[in-house]
Amino acid sequence: MAEQTASVTATVDLVLDEQPWRMQLTVPAGPATPGQLLHLLRGLTDAVVDAAVEKSAAQGRPISCRKGCGACCRQLVPIAPAEAHRLRQVIAAMPEPRRNEVLNRFEAAHAKLAATGMLDRLRAPARLDEASRRRLGIDYFRHGVACPFLEQESCSIYTERPLACREYLVTSPATHCAQPTPDSIDCLPIAVQVSRALRKLEASQDRQDKVGLSWVPLITAPEWAKEYPEAPPTSSGPAQIESLFKWLGTAPSADNAEA
Ligand code: SF4
């Protein structure tokens, strides 16, 4: 059977932080999983964040995040199922002994979370209502569980980091991040949250046969992805992009097909 190579390019015109902005998104013309769109969504997220960083700096509020400051990497990070599958692949592709070291860090984190009684809740996030989820996030940070990808207070998978990590930047003093409160942390406001749109897209498709599942905690992502293998595509690349932009509250402006 001949391999399908047809793709479609959508030209996206957006206004981000009051600046017109254009991007071309090339996606498979045929069936595509959200995971196949991930590289595009990373580019989109980075563009959204860059525009917000520029605007904030122009308003006298530069970003205070610096390489080597990993305080925020002790938070509960919500990721989309497609990102959980991607992280599992990233770990599988690591050379030894690094892969084993990372897996050991996940195991150590799970042991710590089990001891606090949080692990069961983290393994069934769909059962949590909004208030319980907020409570879990506070408890999680209080226990100082570092992300297993954090090395020397820097992200060791920087180019592969999830969308939520890309979107999280602060303008408040970096020293506040070790003891964050709603009043002491000023997060960078961004025009659209691609991470949330992807999670909503996947939840709307109910792809993993897990009713209502819209997010996976990064800390349980590898084991979750192993238990629930990536589902086959349910719609075409253009249809996935169209749905995603609906969740973002905007729409691609024009399409043209390519071989
Ligand atoms: S993936 Fe990287 S940026 Fe995200 S929490 Fe982990 S170490 Fe931090």
Side-chain angles (χ1 to χ4, degrees):
M1 192 167 66
E3 194 182 334
Q4 186 180 22
T5 56
S7 59
V8 173
T9 298
T11 301
V12 181
D13 281 313
L14 298 173
V15 176
L16 292 177
D17 288 312
E18 293 148 28
Q19 296 295 323
W21 183 79
R22 172 167 283 199
M23 184 182 192
Q24 293 212 315
L25 302 176
T26 300
V27 297
T33 62
Q36 285 174 276
L37 309 179
L38 210 43
H39 64 291
L40 296 176
L41 304 186
R42 287 174 180 167
L44 181 58
T45 303
D46 291 347
V48 169
V49 171
D50 287 350
V53 167
E54 209 172 294
K55 181 180 176 188
S56 190
Q59 293 173 338
R61 291 193 297 273
I63 298 303
S64 40
C65 305
R66 295 286 177 268
K67 191 172 163 57
C69 173
C72 61
C73 298
R74 289 166 175 81
Q75 296 190 51
L76 176 55
V77 180
I79 65 175
E83 295 182 290
H85 287 293
R86 179 62 198 157
L87 285 185
R88 184 160 182 254
Q89 290 165 4
V90 167
I91 295 170
M94 286 176 178
E96 292 293 8
R98 181 149 183 256
R99 179 171 56 219
N100 217 28
E101 286 166 8
V102 169
L103 289 173
N104 285 344
R105 279 186 227 136
F106 270 97
E107 212 171 290
H110 287 192
K112 190 169 180 179
L113 291 164
T116 64
M118 270 188 282
L119 191 58
D120 287 345
R121 282 184 283 160
L122 289 162
R123 282 178 169 152
R127 289 197 209 123
L128 301 173
D129 59 23
E130 188 54 38
S132 314
R133 193 160 44 170
R134 210 169 300 128
R135 181 75 248 162
L136 181 62
I138 293 167
D139 289 349
Y140 189 98
F141 188 81
R142 200 159 45 86
H143 284 93
V145 180
C147 173
F149 298 115
L150 189 66
E151 292 177 3
Q152 295 169 342
E153 296 301 304
S154 289
C155 180
S156 65
I157 57 158
Y158 193 75
T159 57
E160 291 282 354
R161 70 199 190 286
L163 302 181
C165 301
R166 289 164 193 264
E167 291 171 342
Y168 189 88
L169 293 169
V170 300
T171 56
S172 41
T175 47
H176 291 188
C177 293
Q179 302 282 337
T181 66
D183 295 334
S184 66
I185 299 295
D186 294 321
C187 289
L188 177 74
I190 52 177
V192 287
Q193 243 185 319
V194 182
S195 62
R196 182 172 297 183
L198 176 59
R199 295 198 298 269
K200 284 182 177 291
L201 172 73
E202 290 209 70
S204 71
Q205 295 176 346
D206 200 12
R207 294 172 42 75
Q208 307 297 336
D209 203 22
K210 297 282 289 174
V211 177
L213 178 63
S214 60
W215 66 290
V216 180
L218 183 154
I219 202 68
T220 58
E223 68 168 32
W224 179 88
K226 185 177 177 191
E227 189 173 350
Y228 300 101
E230 195 169 22
T234 55
S235 57
S236 67
Q240 296 276 14
I241 288 291
E242 198 180 337
S243 301
L244 182 99
F245 274 80
K246 276 189 192 144
W247 286 113
L248 277 175
T250 181
S253 64
D255 290 335
N256 59 292
E258 286 181 347

